[in-house]
């Protein structure tokens, strides 16, 4: 594993052990994104990093897990991801809601958002982009198709590694309803279904 | 308004008045889809209709509201939408959860899902596809780009008309977590935000 140094303090591999994140089989990644949570997209180029709040994403295929997302070409994240072809989708829960809104309100061109919002960067294993330690799940992604970026700002990502905190039962994801209003994940219901 | 006859009984324009749906400004459509609810996609070709449960969708632009969605080419819906270039995104709430799962478990090639699941078709105004009366919102859509259908089953839709039931305060949307497990929309939280 390459030890990367970002602008903020980086968690070492031994410290990461205390994060209690374990690998999630790639076949289960869709279960995290299909409900439509707000995610924090991290990107990096050398020591420069960024964190972007993102709601415009969808699953495109189950396995390998393929995700489409919209990143405006006015965003610093677009610049970084376009160059490196790598990013991490981090899934925050309601405890992080103020940091999520904060990340959405400033540009990473001017501030180190990891530092400003006290988010802990942890090295990924397959991409040179930090995971956000505080999030309940982290999906390491490679950009596999940018042909729709010009017309729609759509990037197609392949999730190559997935981490999840199994000790956090029933994580309360947040879902953006516009203008700073968020719906917090409520109760779950299970019905017999033939579908994935 | 064209009065359309579908396989199931169709609600007349006068009956529709009792549905209490009113027009939603197109600039607000993203607020319905951004939280990531399961939707029921309706399609039609002549008297043939279909209803498909769909979670793989995302906003692509605010205005005109543009939506990307994934429809497998194995689905009857794909056949209908590809030919007519029209569909309706209907947003169900938790009261309809059994019908939503039911729609996902059978093919519209064999059964009239409006009839089987007692859903009431109502004529749209801009497309020849029925709205589902029982849903809390209905978005009439035209396919504007099918160039990604071959590679990713992605269609780009433009929402041309939006209806919402304003009497239903705080509608409890459902969000699919895989294998028939659904998260039901919980409480809402508002934070100061500069973002749309």
């Amino acid at each position: 594993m390459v030890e990367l140094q970002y602008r903020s303090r980086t968690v070492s591999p031994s410290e990461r052990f205390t994060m209690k994140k374990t690998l999630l089989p790639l076949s289960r990644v869709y279960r995290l994104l299909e409900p439509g949570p707000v995610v924090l997209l991290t990107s990096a180029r050398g020591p420069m990093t960024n964190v972007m709040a993102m709601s415009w994403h969808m699953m495109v295929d189950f396995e390998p897990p393929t995700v489409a997302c919209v990143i405006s070409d006015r965003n610093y994240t677009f610049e970084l991801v376009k160059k490196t072809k790598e990013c991490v989708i981090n899934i925050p829960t309601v405890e992080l809601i103020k940091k999520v809104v904060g990340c959405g309100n400033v540009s990473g061109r001017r501030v180190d958002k990891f530092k400003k919002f006290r988010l802990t960067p942890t090295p990924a294993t397959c991409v040179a982009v930090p995971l956000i330690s505080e999030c309940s799940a982290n999906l390491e992604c490679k950009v596999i198709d940018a042909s729709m970026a010009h017309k729609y700002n759509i990037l197609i990502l392949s999730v190559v590694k997935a981490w999840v905190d199994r000790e956090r039962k029933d994580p309360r994801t947040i879902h953006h309803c516009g203008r700073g209003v968020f719906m917090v994940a409520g109760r779950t219901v299970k019905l017999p279904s033939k579908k994935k």
Side-chain angles (χ1 to χ4, degrees), chain A:
Chain A
M1 191 197 304
V2 185
E3 173 89 20
L4 292 162
Q5 288 303 324
Y6 302 107
R7 286 186 293 187
S8 314
R9 192 185 72 89
T10 303
V11 169
S12 70
S14 61
E15 275 183 280
R16 185 164 63 178
F17 185 72
T18 66
M19 280 169 54
K20 298 181 191 91
K21 293 259 174 80
T22 52
L23 278 176
L24 179 76
L26 292 181
S27 60
R28 291 195 172 195
V29 163
Y30 79 98
R31 300 189 190 188
L32 300 177
L33 293 181
E34 198 164 306
V38 176
V39 301
L40 290 173
L41 196 81
T42 44
S43 51
R45 194 175 178 219
M48 303 306 285
T49 57
N50 200 20
V51 185
M52 181 188 119
M54 180 174 84
S55 286
W56 292 10
H57 58 77
M58 68 175 178
M59 290 303 301
V60 171
D61 210 345
F62 289 107
E63 207 174 353
T66 311
V67 179
C69 66
V70 177
I71 305 173
S72 165
D73 52 13
R74 292 186 302 273
N75 286 350
Y76 185 44
T77 293
F78 186 85
E79 223 176 285
L80 297 176
V81 176
K82 203 181 156 195
K83 289 209 173 109
T84 64
K85 307 276 185 218
E86 293 182 346
C87 59
V88 175
I89 295 172
N90 305 273
I91 306 182
T93 48
V94 68
E95 297 79 15
L96 299 177
I97 194 165
K98 284 185 183 168
K99 295 173 195 267
V100 170
V101 173
C103 284
N105 285 344
V106 293
S107 170
R109 276 194 192 89
R110 291 188 301 275
V111 296
D112 177 347
K113 295 196 201 175
F114 275 100
K115 205 169 172 183
K116 186 174 172 70
F117 299 109
R118 295 173 185 266
L119 295 167
T120 315
T122 315
T125 56
C126 297
V127 296
V129 175
L131 317 176
I132 298 175
S133 175
E134 290 80 2
C135 287
S136 67
N138 314 89
L139 312 175
E140 302 184 22
C141 299
K142 304 248 187 199
V143 177
I144 57 166
D145 193 338
S147 62
M148 288 158 272
H150 182 67
K151 197 164 180 187
Y152 297 110
N153 291 323
I154 293 176
L155 294 176
I156 306 287
L157 313 175
S158 182
V159 180
V160 291
K161 200 90 160 181
W163 302 95
V164 72
D165 183 349
R166 288 181 199 279
E167 293 205 349
R168 295 176 69 170
K169 302 294 174 205
D170 203 16
R172 299 277 160 202
T173 52
I174 52 173
H175 301 251
H176 193 223
C177 308
R179 302 268 177 213
V181 176
F182 294 85
M183 176 273 280
V184 182
R187 65 193 168 98
T188 53
V189 179
K190 185 165 170 44
L191 275 88
S193 173
K194 292 179 202 165
K195 287 275 170 183
K196 256 194 171 179

